[in-house]
Amino acid sequence: MSHVESTARPRRGGWPRRLALGALVPLLILVAWEVVTATGLVPAYRLPGPLAVLRAAGELQAAGELWLHVAISVQRVLIGFAIGSVAGLAVASLVGLSRTADTLLGPLLAALRAVPSLAWVPLLILWMQIGETSKITLIAIGAFFPVLTTVSSALRHTDPQLVEAGRAFGLRGLSLLRTVQLPAAVPAVISGLRLALAQSWLFLVAAELIASSMGLGFLLNDSQQNGRVDRILLTIVLLALLGTATNALLGLIEKKLLRRWA
């Protein structure tokens, strides 16, 4: 077997090994968590053990509330993420390809990007009342800026030779953007989407902490007010798992996009 053949052949057991290594640290944290609570090193009212958190999940499940909180939050995140990402991609295409648009909109967008998520909440409630529209709008704002920043920067630095080749084939405007410039920026688009998805979960909690009667952010706030540390920990774990799951789903989409365009 030649050296080229041996290096080209994929290594067996690659992804199971990576999965096992990735799970190692969380398992060690889980064991340490159980040890410090079972031995009384940390009082249970400050840090309930893993079994107490599981019991809290069982209580919410028996009451028919757990998956309802999860489903509502996931729905809000996905809708807000989709709206914010599409808007971010559109504005990024504008400011990334037009110096005039960048000059006109750049300072304003930079200023809006610096506004904290909680600062938007009172204004959105005033404009849109307490409802789904205000929450989804806040999440969309969170998803908008990471896509805008990464994609606009990538479009500004698209290889000029690729652009000239596209123009030589008669491509202009939207056809040039769709055929040449956006495919060249696919890695940046994926990076922006990953950041936007993480930001969407952060803005979700901000929205549901302030103005919600359902969802994981509401559960977090309600548990804090009632001193249910076990439910607080449960909510944090659920947010972490959901964020990981949606990021993994985006990773599958990334592979397909890179296979086609990169």
Side-chain angles (χ1 to χ4, degrees):
M1 182 183 296
S2 67
H3 175 70
V4 174
E5 291 174 341
S6 63
T7 55
R9 176 176 295 178
R11 295 175 59 184
R12 295 180 179 178
W15 71 264
R17 183 172 181 271
R18 290 196 299 271
L19 184 62
L21 288 175
L24 180 60
V25 173
L27 287 175
L28 290 176
I29 293 175
L30 186 63
V31 171
W33 178 11
E34 175 63 29
V35 168
V36 298
T37 54
T39 57
L41 291 176
V42 179
Y45 68 89
R46 290 185 179 273
L47 182 66
L51 292 179
V53 174
L54 286 177
R55 284 194 295 271
E59 292 173 1
L60 289 171
Q61 173 61 22
E65 298 179 10
L66 180 62
W67 296 115
L68 185 59
H69 286 302
V70 170
I72 288 174
S73 290
V74 169
Q75 176 180 280
R76 288 168 177 162
V77 165
L78 293 181
I79 295 175
F81 168 70
I83 294 172
S85 297
V86 170
L89 189 60
V91 178
S93 300
L94 181 64
V95 300
L97 299 176
S98 170
R99 292 184 179 179
T100 302
D102 186 31
T103 302
L104 290 173
L105 299 177
L108 174 63
L109 293 171
L112 293 176
R113 188 187 304 120
V115 177
S117 58
L118 289 177
W120 290 104
V121 173
L123 189 61
L124 292 176
I125 292 176
L126 180 65
W127 285 350
M128 302 176 181
Q129 308 303 317
I130 297 176
E132 289 302 301
T133 304
S134 59
K135 298 177 186 64
I136 290 174
T137 301
L138 182 60
I139 296 168
I141 291 172
F144 173 81
F145 287 105
V147 175
L148 168 69
T149 303
T150 55
V151 176
S152 60
S153 177
L155 290 174
R156 290 191 197 100
H157 298 89
T158 303
D159 188 347
Q161 294 182 351
L162 288 176
V163 177
E164 289 302 322
R167 287 173 177 164
F169 282 95
L171 299 176
R172 295 289 187 278
L174 289 177
S175 60
L176 180 66
L177 174 66
R178 184 180 64 254
T179 308
V180 176
Q181 291 164 313
L182 275 182
V186 162
V189 172
I190 296 299
S191 297
L193 290 176
R194 285 185 179 275
L195 291 172
L197 185 59
Q199 193 88 326
S200 296
W201 284 106
L202 294 176
F203 274 59
L204 166 83
V205 174
E208 292 183 342
L209 276 174
I210 302 299
S212 182
S213 59
M214 291 298 295
L216 293 175
F218 164 77
L219 181 60
L220 192 66
N221 188 45
D222 183 68
S223 301
Q224 185 269 331
Q225 292 180 354
N226 291 287
R228 293 296 302 268
V229 185
D230 52 349
R231 291 189 178 184
I232 292 175
L233 291 171
L234 172 64
T235 307
I236 292 172
V237 170
L238 287 173
L239 287 168
L241 292 176
L242 289 170
T244 302
T246 51
N247 185 66
L249 179 61
L250 191 58
L252 296 177
I253 299 174
E254 174 185 8
K255 290 181 180 179
K256 293 184 178 180
L257 289 175
L258 292 177
R259 192 179 299 119
R260 179 176 181 181
W261 297 110

